[in-house]
Amino acid sequence: MISPVLAVLEHDRGAMAEAAREALTFGRGLAESLGAGLEALLIGSDDADLVAEAGAYGAAAVHTVTHPVLSDFGPEAWGEAIARAAGMLKPAAVLAGGSERGNEVMAQAAARLDLPFVSNCTAIDPSGADGSGVDSGSGEWSITRIQWGGSLLEDVRLAAALPLVTCGLHAVASEPLPEPVSPAAAGLEIDLDPALARTVVKDRVVLEAGVTLPTAPVVVGGGRGVGSAEGFGPLEELAGLLGGRVGCSRAVTNNGWRPHSDQVGQTGTRIAPEIYIASGISGAIQHWVGAMGSKHILAINTDPEANMVVKADWAVIGDLHEVIPAISAEIRRRHP
Amino acid sequence: MLRILCCVKRVPAPGARINVTADGLAVDAAHLGFTTSPHEECGVEEAVQIAERCGGEVTVLTLGPPEAAEQLRYAASVGAHRGVLVPADGGARDPQRTAAILAEAIRRLESADGAGPFDLIVFGNESADSGGFQVGVRTAYGLGRPIVNGVKGIEIDGPAVRVRREIDGGFEVYEMEMPAAVGVKEGINLPRYPTMKGRLASKRLEIEILDLDAPLGGQTMVRLRRPAETVSETAILGHGPEAAPAVADVLESLGVL
């Protein structure tokens, strides 16, 4: 019997992260290629709703770890819990979502286990076949991961007693099973050092409620072409009409027109809206990798050859200062 | 006086497209400049600001080719005091090996002249190129230091360091006793440009060299390649404001209007 794949369930005080659903979806594929089952590790909670949701995404069993030091998220405490659980459960692999927390806790676990950790994978072939379909017999895994935020792919060989991986954020679309399974939940007895509390969240500050950039269904983005901080007024108006948020490129942040928290890109926010309306944005690599998770893209640009126009589903060729107010006016006309 | 160490990586500065060398083992940098990885550029700025605010000395450490001395000089031009280069041998690098070398370099720097531990070690959250998301965490663990990633704000409060990390719609606060480490992200500050005085100081910087090595880890690069281009047929909805009704039709068809 081949040991199961163990997926770490990222959650924030009981709310499951989309990255956890992606990890379970990706984990089902990995488990299948190993001929193994899929199980989940739930840290700092034994909440029945989380267990049920793990089942909806294919986990046959959920191992829970609760401990006073796990009262809130803490990278060291979570990393230690993963390392200890891996030692007890001896899975075929441990997998998490490629979110900021997912990569951080897997790095912590890998450091503790003194094992390699391959982050942000897009494809894993446990036979080591390197695309040829023939088992290399080396026991090494062939993995494809992202570099440069997704502008390049890197093929790697992984030699490890226990593979530790994350799947790239939005590298798979999360998908529940057609029929949910009801996983068995069982607590793991792990005694954690209270000193791990040194990196547990102490406090939280909520700045805004409601729609935020990573979760907005519509993002109206502006680049250098917007021209000034005031130039973002019409973009704000359109985003408001559509229940969305305004985003921007790195050039805009560097000019001080918008705060960095609005920046879409490799070093900013990865967005995944239903539609991204990108105006006055040329589409440099840095920006594109933050925008490529969008389901649809509409570009507004004076340059029909701009990278963003070429990569968009739809484009309007023209000056955003004229086009965006016209779109807002049209929306008002249809929905007075 | 605070002693702050900042680890930086020299990376290519790409524009709209990144090409790979014929052997598939590196980014083709023939026509590219090089820069400090963006999160780390902000890390240097943050370290310098803390030193200016609280009093302190900033040391910048890099593992890389001899040319990475440029990144150390740049750091000096914006206010760093010391630069340490661990020359890379040009062979394979992986996150385990890099972290082991950095941890050993830091141990050497801390044991020299009985200097003692750096109060704060600043890493970039992840490098712009390989993006392994682990060198800072592994290095800090090797040194027995606490580390928090994703840091967008740092406040020194006596023997403690309080850090802010962005979450959806707000931020989390962590508090660590120093010595401690952080992985910072772009946006924590807006890095300054070098002044003329800074440029002169950077020319005089004496770069310290540490020759160190560590065994390879279990992850080996086979090749780099460009992903299949997603060539989408871009439908032109029109020119100028006359395209507005067609845009509204698209928004309605997607159910967002």
CSV table of all heavy atoms in Angstrom, one decimal, chain A residues 100-101 104 115 117 119 145 148 151 153 155 157 159 202-203 205 207 212 250 260 263 266-267 309-310 312-313 315 317 334, chain B residues 128-131 134 138 149 165 168-169 171-173 185-186 218 220 222-223 225 227 232 234-235 237-238 240 245 249:
chain,number,residue,atom,x,y,z
A,100,GLU,N,1.5,33.0,0.1
A,100,GLU,CA,2.6,33.5,0.9
A,100,GLU,C,2.8,32.6,2.2
A,100,GLU,O,3.9,32.2,2.5
A,100,GLU,CB,2.4,35.0,1.3
A,100,GLU,CG,3.6,35.6,1.9
A,100,GLU,CD,3.4,37.1,1.9
A,100,GLU,OE1,3.5,37.7,0.9
A,100,GLU,OE2,3.2,37.6,3.0
A,101,ARG,N,1.7,32.3,2.8
A,101,ARG,CA,1.7,31.5,4.0
A,101,ARG,C,2.1,30.1,3.7
A,101,ARG,O,2.9,29.4,4.4
A,101,ARG,CB,0.4,31.5,4.7
A,101,ARG,CG,0.1,32.7,5.6
A,101,ARG,CD,-1.2,32.4,6.3
A,101,ARG,NE,-1.5,33.5,7.3
A,101,ARG,CZ,-2.6,33.5,8.1
A,101,ARG,NH1,-3.4,32.5,8.1
A,101,ARG,NH2,-2.8,34.5,8.9
A,104,GLU,N,5.7,29.8,3.0
A,104,GLU,CA,6.5,30.1,4.3
A,104,GLU,C,6.5,28.9,5.2
A,104,GLU,O,7.5,28.5,5.7
A,104,GLU,CB,5.9,31.3,5.0
A,104,GLU,CG,6.7,31.7,6.2
A,104,GLU,CD,6.1,32.9,7.0
A,104,GLU,OE1,4.8,33.0,6.9
A,104,GLU,OE2,6.8,33.7,7.6
A,115,LEU,N,15.4,18.9,4.5
A,115,LEU,CA,15.0,18.3,3.3
A,115,LEU,C,14.8,19.4,2.2
A,115,LEU,O,14.5,20.5,2.6
A,115,LEU,CB,13.7,17.5,3.4
A,115,LEU,CG,13.7,16.2,4.1
A,115,LEU,CD1,12.2,15.7,4.3
A,115,LEU,CD2,14.5,15.2,3.3
A,117,PHE,N,12.9,21.6,-0.6
A,117,PHE,CA,11.5,22.0,-0.8
A,117,PHE,C,11.3,22.7,-2.1
A,117,PHE,O,12.1,23.7,-2.4
A,117,PHE,CB,11.1,23.0,0.4
A,117,PHE,CG,10.0,23.9,0.1
A,117,PHE,CD1,8.8,23.5,-0.5
A,117,PHE,CD2,10.1,25.3,0.4
A,117,PHE,CE1,7.8,24.4,-0.8
A,117,PHE,CE2,9.1,26.2,0.1
A,117,PHE,CZ,7.9,25.8,-0.5
A,119,SER,N,9.2,24.9,-4.4
A,119,SER,CA,8.1,25.8,-4.4
A,119,SER,C,7.4,26.0,-5.7
A,119,SER,O,8.1,26.0,-6.8
A,119,SER,CB,8.5,27.1,-3.8
A,119,SER,OG,9.4,27.8,-4.6
A,145,ARG,N,8.5,23.9,-12.2
A,145,ARG,CA,8.1,25.0,-11.3
A,145,ARG,C,8.2,26.3,-12.0
A,145,ARG,O,8.9,26.4,-13.1
A,145,ARG,CB,8.9,25.0,-10.0
A,145,ARG,CG,10.4,25.2,-10.2
A,145,ARG,CD,11.2,25.2,-8.9
A,145,ARG,NE,10.7,26.2,-8.0
A,145,ARG,CZ,11.2,27.5,-8.0
A,145,ARG,NH1,12.2,27.8,-8.9
A,145,ARG,NH2,10.8,28.4,-7.2
A,148,TRP,N,10.6,33.7,-12.1
A,148,TRP,CA,10.2,35.0,-12.5
A,148,TRP,C,8.7,35.2,-12.5
A,148,TRP,O,8.1,35.7,-13.4
A,148,TRP,CB,10.7,35.2,-14.0
A,148,TRP,CG,12.2,35.4,-14.1
A,148,TRP,CD1,13.1,34.4,-14.4
A,148,TRP,CD2,13.0,36.5,-13.8
A,148,TRP,NE1,14.4,34.9,-14.4
A,148,TRP,CE2,14.3,36.2,-14.0
A,148,TRP,CE3,12.7,37.8,-13.4
A,148,TRP,CZ2,15.4,37.1,-13.8
A,148,TRP,CZ3,13.7,38.7,-13.2
A,148,TRP,CH2,15.0,38.4,-13.4
A,151,SER,N,7.0,33.9,-15.7
A,151,SER,CA,7.4,34.2,-17.0
A,151,SER,C,8.3,33.1,-17.6
A,151,SER,O,8.5,33.0,-18.8
A,151,SER,CB,8.1,35.5,-17.2
A,151,SER,OG,7.9,36.3,-16.1
A,153,LEU,N,9.6,28.8,-17.0
A,153,LEU,CA,9.4,27.5,-16.3
A,153,LEU,C,10.8,26.9,-16.0
A,153,LEU,O,11.7,27.1,-16.9
A,153,LEU,CB,8.5,26.6,-17.1
A,153,LEU,CG,7.1,27.1,-17.4
A,153,LEU,CD1,6.4,26.1,-18.3
A,153,LEU,CD2,6.3,27.2,-16.0
A,155,ASP,N,12.5,23.2,-15.1
A,155,ASP,CA,12.4,21.8,-14.9
A,155,ASP,C,13.5,21.4,-13.9
A,155,ASP,O,14.6,21.8,-14.0
A,155,ASP,CB,12.6,21.0,-16.2
A,155,ASP,CG,11.5,21.3,-17.2
A,155,ASP,OD1,10.3,21.4,-16.8
A,155,ASP,OD2,11.8,21.3,-18.4
A,157,ARG,N,15.0,18.2,-11.0
A,157,ARG,CA,15.0,16.9,-10.5
A,157,ARG,C,15.0,17.0,-9.0
A,157,ARG,O,15.7,17.8,-8.4
A,157,ARG,CB,16.2,16.1,-10.9
A,157,ARG,CG,16.1,15.5,-12.3
A,157,ARG,CD,17.1,14.4,-12.5
A,157,ARG,NE,18.4,14.7,-11.9
A,157,ARG,CZ,19.4,15.3,-12.5
A,157,ARG,NH1,19.2,15.8,-13.7
A,157,ARG,NH2,20.5,15.6,-11.9
A,159,ALA,N,15.5,14.9,-5.5
A,159,ALA,CA,15.9,13.6,-4.8
A,159,ALA,C,15.7,13.9,-3.3
A,159,ALA,O,16.4,14.7,-2.7
A,159,ALA,CB,17.4,13.3,-5.1
A,202,LYS,N,0.3,38.5,16.9
A,202,LYS,CA,-0.1,39.1,18.2
A,202,LYS,C,-1.4,39.9,18.1
A,202,LYS,O,-2.1,40.0,19.0
A,202,LYS,CB,1.1,40.1,18.5
A,202,LYS,CG,2.2,39.5,19.4
A,202,LYS,CD,2.0,40.0,20.8
A,202,LYS,CE,3.0,39.4,21.8
A,202,LYS,NZ,3.6,38.1,21.4
A,203,ASP,N,-1.6,40.5,16.9
A,203,ASP,CA,-2.7,41.4,16.8
A,203,ASP,C,-3.0,41.5,15.3
A,203,ASP,O,-2.2,41.2,14.4
A,203,ASP,CB,-2.2,42.8,17.3
A,203,ASP,CG,-3.4,43.7,17.6
A,203,ASP,OD1,-4.6,43.2,17.6
A,203,ASP,OD2,-3.2,44.9,17.8
A,205,VAL,N,-5.1,44.2,12.5
A,205,VAL,CA,-5.7,45.5,12.2
A,205,VAL,C,-6.5,45.4,10.9
A,205,VAL,O,-5.9,45.1,9.9
A,205,VAL,CB,-4.7,46.7,12.2
A,205,VAL,CG1,-5.4,48.0,11.9
A,205,VAL,CG2,-3.9,46.7,13.5
A,207,LEU,N,-8.3,47.3,8.0
A,207,LEU,CA,-8.3,48.6,7.4
A,207,LEU,C,-9.6,48.8,6.5
A,207,LEU,O,-10.0,49.9,6.4
A,207,LEU,CB,-7.1,48.8,6.5
A,207,LEU,CG,-5.7,48.8,7.2
A,207,LEU,CD1,-4.6,48.9,6.2
A,207,LEU,CD2,-5.7,49.9,8.3
A,212,THR,N,-11.7,43.4,-1.7
A,212,THR,CA,-10.3,43.7,-1.7
A,212,THR,C,-9.7,43.3,-3.0
A,212,THR,O,-10.3,42.5,-3.8
A,212,THR,CB,-9.6,43.1,-0.5
A,212,THR,OG1,-9.7,41.7,-0.7
A,212,THR,CG2,-10.1,43.5,0.8
A,250,ARG,N,3.6,49.1,-11.6
A,250,ARG,CA,4.7,49.5,-10.8
A,250,ARG,C,5.1,50.9,-11.1
A,250,ARG,O,5.5,51.6,-10.2
A,250,ARG,CB,5.8,48.5,-11.0
A,250,ARG,CG,6.9,48.6,-10.0
A,250,ARG,CD,7.7,47.3,-9.9
A,250,ARG,NE,8.8,47.3,-8.9
A,250,ARG,CZ,10.1,47.4,-9.2
A,250,ARG,NH1,10.5,47.5,-10.4
A,250,ARG,NH2,10.9,47.4,-8.2
A,260,HIS,N,1.3,51.4,-2.7
A,260,HIS,CA,1.8,50.1,-3.2
A,260,HIS,C,0.8,49.0,-3.0
A,260,HIS,O,0.8,48.0,-3.8
A,260,HIS,CB,3.1,49.7,-2.4
A,260,HIS,CG,3.8,48.5,-3.0
A,260,HIS,ND1,3.4,47.2,-2.6
A,260,HIS,CD2,4.8,48.4,-3.9
A,260,HIS,CE1,4.2,46.4,-3.3
A,260,HIS,NE2,5.0,47.0,-4.1
A,263,GLN,N,-0.8,47.9,-6.1
A,263,GLN,CA,0.0,47.4,-7.2
A,263,GLN,C,-0.2,46.0,-7.6
A,263,GLN,O,-0.2,45.1,-6.7
A,263,GLN,CB,1.5,47.6,-6.9
A,263,GLN,CG,2.4,47.2,-8.0
A,263,GLN,CD,3.9,47.5,-7.7
A,263,GLN,OE1,4.2,48.5,-7.2
A,263,GLN,NE2,4.7,46.5,-7.9
A,266,GLN,N,4.3,41.1,-10.0
A,266,GLN,CA,5.2,40.1,-9.3
A,266,GLN,C,5.5,40.5,-7.9
A,266,GLN,O,5.6,39.7,-7.0
A,266,GLN,CB,6.5,39.9,-10.1
A,266,GLN,CG,7.3,38.7,-9.6
A,266,GLN,CD,8.6,38.5,-10.5
A,266,GLN,OE1,8.7,39.1,-11.5
A,266,GLN,NE2,9.5,37.7,-10.0
A,267,THR,N,5.8,41.8,-7.7
A,267,THR,CA,6.1,42.2,-6.3
A,267,THR,C,4.9,42.9,-5.7
A,267,THR,O,5.1,43.5,-4.6
A,267,THR,CB,7.3,43.2,-6.4
A,267,THR,OG1,7.1,44.2,-7.4
A,267,THR,CG2,8.6,42.4,-6.7
A,309,VAL,N,-2.5,44.7,-24.9
A,309,VAL,CA,-3.5,44.6,-26.0
A,309,VAL,C,-3.4,43.2,-26.6
A,309,VAL,O,-4.4,42.5,-26.9
A,309,VAL,CB,-3.4,45.7,-27.0
A,309,VAL,CG1,-4.3,45.5,-28.2
A,309,VAL,CG2,-3.6,47.1,-26.3
A,310,VAL,N,-2.2,42.8,-27.0
A,310,VAL,CA,-1.9,41.6,-27.7
A,310,VAL,C,-2.4,40.4,-26.8
A,310,VAL,O,-2.9,39.4,-27.3
A,310,VAL,CB,-0.4,41.4,-28.0
A,310,VAL,CG1,-0.1,40.1,-28.6
A,310,VAL,CG2,0.0,42.5,-29.0
A,312,ALA,N,-4.7,40.5,-24.5
A,312,ALA,CA,-6.1,40.6,-24.0
A,312,ALA,C,-7.1,39.8,-24.8
A,312,ALA,O,-6.9,39.4,-25.9
A,312,ALA,CB,-6.5,42.1,-24.0
A,313,ASP,N,-8.3,39.6,-24.2
A,313,ASP,CA,-9.4,39.0,-24.9
A,313,ASP,C,-10.1,40.0,-25.8
A,313,ASP,O,-10.5,39.7,-26.9
A,313,ASP,CB,-10.4,38.4,-24.0
A,313,ASP,CG,-9.8,37.3,-23.1
A,313,ASP,OD1,-9.5,36.2,-23.6
A,313,ASP,OD2,-9.5,37.6,-21.9
A,315,ALA,N,-10.1,44.5,-26.7
A,315,ALA,CA,-9.4,45.7,-26.6
A,315,ALA,C,-10.2,46.9,-27.2
A,315,ALA,O,-11.0,46.7,-28.1
A,315,ALA,CB,-8.0,45.6,-27.3
A,317,ILE,N,-9.1,50.5,-28.7
A,317,ILE,CA,-8.0,51.3,-29.1
A,317,ILE,C,-8.4,52.8,-28.9
A,317,ILE,O,-9.3,53.3,-29.6
A,317,ILE,CB,-7.5,51.1,-30.5
A,317,ILE,CG1,-7.3,49.6,-30.7
A,317,ILE,CG2,-6.2,51.8,-30.8
A,317,ILE,CD1,-6.4,48.9,-29.8
A,334,ARG,N,-27.8,52.3,-18.9
A,334,ARG,CA,-28.5,51.0,-18.9
A,334,ARG,C,-29.0,50.7,-17.5
A,334,ARG,O,-30.0,50.0,-17.4
A,334,ARG,CB,-27.5,49.9,-19.3
A,334,ARG,CG,-27.0,50.0,-20.7
A,334,ARG,CD,-26.3,48.8,-21.1
A,334,ARG,NE,-25.7,49.0,-22.5
A,334,ARG,CZ,-25.1,48.0,-23.2
A,334,ARG,NH1,-25.1,46.8,-22.8
A,334,ARG,NH2,-24.6,48.3,-24.4
B,128,ALA,N,13.6,37.7,-7.3
B,128,ALA,CA,12.8,38.0,-8.5
B,128,ALA,C,13.0,36.9,-9.5
B,128,ALA,O,12.1,36.6,-10.3
B,128,ALA,CB,13.2,39.3,-9.0
B,129,ASP,N,14.2,36.2,-9.5
B,129,ASP,CA,14.4,35.2,-10.5
B,129,ASP,C,14.0,33.8,-10.1
B,129,ASP,O,12.9,33.4,-10.5
B,129,ASP,CB,15.9,35.2,-11.0
B,129,ASP,CG,16.9,35.1,-9.9
B,129,ASP,OD1,16.5,35.1,-8.7
B,129,ASP,OD2,18.1,35.0,-10.2
B,130,SER,N,14.7,33.1,-9.3
B,130,SER,CA,14.4,31.8,-9.0
B,130,SER,C,13.2,31.7,-8.0
B,130,SER,O,12.4,30.7,-8.1
B,130,SER,CB,15.6,31.0,-8.4
B,130,SER,OG,16.2,31.7,-7.4
B,131,GLY,N,12.9,32.6,-7.2
B,131,GLY,CA,11.7,32.7,-6.4
B,131,GLY,C,11.5,31.4,-5.6
B,131,GLY,O,10.4,30.9,-5.6
B,134,GLN,N,12.5,30.5,0.3
B,134,GLN,CA,13.0,29.7,1.4
B,134,GLN,C,14.3,30.0,2.0
B,134,GLN,O,14.7,29.6,3.1
B,134,GLN,CB,12.9,28.2,1.1
B,134,GLN,CG,13.8,27.8,-0.2
B,134,GLN,CD,13.5,26.4,-0.7
B,134,GLN,OE1,14.0,25.5,-0.1
B,134,GLN,NE2,12.8,26.3,-1.8
B,138,ARG,N,15.3,29.3,5.8
B,138,ARG,CA,16.3,28.3,6.2
B,138,ARG,C,17.5,28.8,6.9
B,138,ARG,O,18.1,28.3,7.8
B,138,ARG,CB,16.8,27.6,4.9
B,138,ARG,CG,15.9,26.6,4.2
B,138,ARG,CD,16.5,26.0,3.0
B,138,ARG,NE,15.7,25.1,2.3
B,138,ARG,CZ,15.4,23.8,2.5
B,138,ARG,NH1,15.9,23.3,3.6
B,138,ARG,NH2,14.6,23.2,1.7
B,149,ASN,N,7.9,36.3,7.5
B,149,ASN,CA,8.0,36.7,6.1
B,149,ASN,C,6.9,37.7,5.7
B,149,ASN,O,6.0,37.9,6.6
B,149,ASN,CB,7.9,35.5,5.1
B,149,ASN,CG,9.2,34.9,4.8
B,149,ASN,OD1,10.2,35.5,5.1
B,149,ASN,ND2,9.2,33.8,4.0
B,165,ARG,N,2.4,42.7,8.6
B,165,ARG,CA,2.3,41.8,7.4
B,165,ARG,C,0.9,42.0,6.8
B,165,ARG,O,0.0,41.9,7.6
B,165,ARG,CB,2.5,40.4,7.9
B,165,ARG,CG,2.4,39.4,6.8
B,165,ARG,CD,2.6,38.0,7.4
B,165,ARG,NE,2.7,37.0,6.3
B,165,ARG,CZ,3.4,35.9,6.5
B,165,ARG,NH1,4.0,35.6,7.6
B,165,ARG,NH2,3.5,35.0,5.5
B,168,ASP,N,-5.5,40.2,3.6
B,168,ASP,CA,-6.6,40.7,2.8
B,168,ASP,C,-7.4,41.7,3.6
B,168,ASP,O,-8.0,41.4,4.6
B,168,ASP,CB,-7.5,39.5,2.4
B,168,ASP,CG,-8.3,39.8,1.1
B,168,ASP,OD1,-7.9,40.8,0.5
B,168,ASP,OD2,-9.2,39.1,0.8
B,169,GLY,N,-7.3,43.0,3.2
B,169,GLY,CA,-8.1,44.0,3.9
B,169,GLY,C,-7.5,44.5,5.2
B,169,GLY,O,-8.2,45.2,6.0
B,171,PHE,N,-3.8,44.2,8.2
B,171,PHE,CA,-2.5,43.6,8.4
B,171,PHE,C,-2.4,42.9,9.8
B,171,PHE,O,-3.3,43.1,10.7
B,171,PHE,CB,-1.4,44.7,8.3
B,171,PHE,CG,-1.5,45.9,9.2
B,171,PHE,CD1,-1.0,45.9,10.5
B,171,PHE,CD2,-2.1,47.0,8.7
B,171,PHE,CE1,-1.2,47.0,11.3
B,171,PHE,CE2,-2.3,48.1,9.5
B,171,PHE,CZ,-1.8,48.1,10.8
B,172,GLU,N,-1.5,42.0,9.9
B,172,GLU,CA,-1.2,41.3,11.1
B,172,GLU,C,0.0,41.9,11.8
B,172,GLU,O,0.8,42.5,11.1
B,172,GLU,CB,-0.8,39.8,10.8
B,172,GLU,CG,-1.8,39.0,10.1
B,172,GLU,CD,-1.3,37.7,9.6
B,172,GLU,OE1,0.0,37.6,9.4
B,172,GLU,OE2,-2.1,36.8,9.4
B,173,VAL,N,0.1,41.8,13.1
B,173,VAL,CA,1.2,42.3,13.8
B,173,VAL,C,1.9,41.1,14.5
B,173,VAL,O,1.2,40.3,15.1
B,173,VAL,CB,0.8,43.3,14.9
B,173,VAL,CG1,2.0,43.9,15.6
B,173,VAL,CG2,0.0,44.5,14.2
B,185,LYS,N,8.9,42.8,1.9
B,185,LYS,CA,8.4,42.9,0.6
B,185,LYS,C,8.4,44.3,0.1
B,185,LYS,O,8.3,45.3,0.9
B,185,LYS,CB,6.9,42.4,0.6
B,185,LYS,CG,6.8,40.9,0.9
B,185,LYS,CD,5.4,40.5,0.7
B,185,LYS,CE,5.0,40.4,-0.8
B,185,LYS,NZ,3.7,39.8,-1.0
B,186,GLU,N,8.5,44.4,-1.2
B,186,GLU,CA,8.4,45.8,-1.8
B,186,GLU,C,7.2,46.5,-1.4
B,186,GLU,O,6.1,45.8,-1.2
B,186,GLU,CB,8.4,45.6,-3.4
B,186,GLU,CG,8.5,46.9,-4.1
B,186,GLU,CD,8.4,46.7,-5.6
B,186,GLU,OE1,7.2,46.6,-6.1
B,186,GLU,OE2,9.4,46.6,-6.2
B,218,GLY,N,19.0,18.8,-2.5
B,218,GLY,CA,18.3,17.7,-3.3
B,218,GLY,C,17.6,18.2,-4.5
B,218,GLY,O,16.9,17.4,-5.2
B,220,THR,N,17.8,19.9,-8.2
B,220,THR,CA,18.7,20.2,-9.2
B,220,THR,C,18.0,20.8,-10.5
B,220,THR,O,17.1,20.1,-11.0
B,220,THR,CB,19.4,18.9,-9.7
B,220,THR,OG1,19.9,18.2,-8.5
B,220,THR,CG2,20.6,19.2,-10.6
B,222,VAL,N,17.3,21.3,-14.2
B,222,VAL,CA,17.6,20.6,-15.4
B,222,VAL,C,17.7,21.6,-16.6
B,222,VAL,O,18.6,21.6,-17.4
B,222,VAL,CB,16.5,19.5,-15.7
B,222,VAL,CG1,16.8,18.8,-17.0
B,222,VAL,CG2,16.5,18.5,-14.6
B,223,ARG,N,16.7,22.5,-16.6
B,223,ARG,CA,16.7,23.5,-17.7
B,223,ARG,C,15.6,24.5,-17.4
B,223,ARG,O,14.6,24.3,-16.7
B,223,ARG,CB,16.4,22.9,-19.1
B,223,ARG,CG,15.1,22.2,-19.2
B,223,ARG,CD,14.7,21.8,-20.6
B,223,ARG,NE,13.5,21.0,-20.4
B,223,ARG,CZ,12.7,20.7,-21.4
B,223,ARG,NH1,13.0,21.1,-22.7
B,223,ARG,NH2,11.6,20.0,-21.3
B,225,ARG,N,12.9,27.1,-19.4
B,225,ARG,CA,12.3,27.3,-20.7
B,225,ARG,C,11.1,28.3,-20.6
B,225,ARG,O,10.6,28.6,-19.5
B,225,ARG,CB,11.7,26.0,-21.2
B,225,ARG,CG,10.8,25.3,-20.3
B,225,ARG,CD,10.6,23.8,-20.8
B,225,ARG,NE,10.0,23.0,-19.7
B,225,ARG,CZ,8.6,22.8,-19.6
B,225,ARG,NH1,7.8,23.4,-20.4
B,225,ARG,NH2,8.2,22.1,-18.6
B,227,PRO,N,7.4,29.4,-21.1
B,227,PRO,CA,6.1,28.7,-21.2
B,227,PRO,C,5.5,28.9,-22.6
B,227,PRO,O,5.8,29.9,-23.3
B,227,PRO,CB,5.2,29.3,-20.1
B,227,PRO,CG,5.9,30.6,-19.8
B,227,PRO,CD,7.3,30.5,-20.2
B,232,SER,N,-3.9,34.8,-27.5
B,232,SER,CA,-5.3,35.0,-27.6
B,232,SER,C,-5.7,35.9,-28.7
B,232,SER,O,-5.0,36.8,-29.0
B,232,SER,CB,-5.8,35.6,-26.3
B,232,SER,OG,-5.4,36.9,-26.1
B,234,THR,N,-7.2,38.7,-29.9
B,234,THR,CA,-7.8,39.9,-29.3
B,234,THR,C,-8.9,40.5,-30.2
B,234,THR,O,-8.7,40.8,-31.3
B,234,THR,CB,-6.7,41.0,-29.1
B,234,THR,OG1,-5.6,40.4,-28.4
B,234,THR,CG2,-7.3,42.1,-28.3
B,235,ALA,N,-10.1,40.5,-29.6
B,235,ALA,CA,-11.2,41.1,-30.4
B,235,ALA,C,-11.2,42.6,-30.1
B,235,ALA,O,-11.3,43.1,-29.0
B,235,ALA,CB,-12.5,40.5,-30.0
B,237,LEU,N,-12.9,45.9,-29.9
B,237,LEU,CA,-14.3,46.3,-29.7
B,237,LEU,C,-14.6,47.6,-30.3
B,237,LEU,O,-15.8,48.0,-30.4
B,237,LEU,CB,-14.6,46.4,-28.2
B,237,LEU,CG,-14.5,45.0,-27.4
B,237,LEU,CD1,-14.8,45.3,-25.9
B,237,LEU,CD2,-15.5,44.0,-28.0
B,238,GLY,N,-13.5,48.4,-30.7
B,238,GLY,CA,-13.8,49.7,-31.3
B,238,GLY,C,-12.7,50.6,-31.0
B,238,GLY,O,-11.7,50.3,-30.3
B,240,GLY,N,-11.8,54.5,-29.4
B,240,GLY,CA,-12.3,55.7,-28.7
B,240,GLY,C,-13.6,55.4,-27.9
B,240,GLY,O,-14.1,54.3,-27.8
B,245,PRO,N,-20.6,51.1,-25.8
B,245,PRO,CA,-21.7,50.1,-25.7
B,245,PRO,C,-21.2,48.6,-25.9
B,245,PRO,O,-21.7,47.7,-25.2
B,245,PRO,CB,-22.6,50.5,-26.9
B,245,PRO,CG,-22.3,51.9,-27.1
B,245,PRO,CD,-20.8,52.1,-26.8
B,249,ASP,N,-21.7,45.5,-23.3
B,249,ASP,CA,-22.2,44.2,-23.7
B,249,ASP,C,-21.3,43.1,-23.2
B,249,ASP,O,-21.8,42.1,-22.7
B,249,ASP,CB,-22.3,44.1,-25.3
B,249,ASP,CG,-23.4,45.0,-25.9
B,249,ASP,OD1,-24.2,45.5,-25.1
B,249,ASP,OD2,-23.3,45.2,-27.1
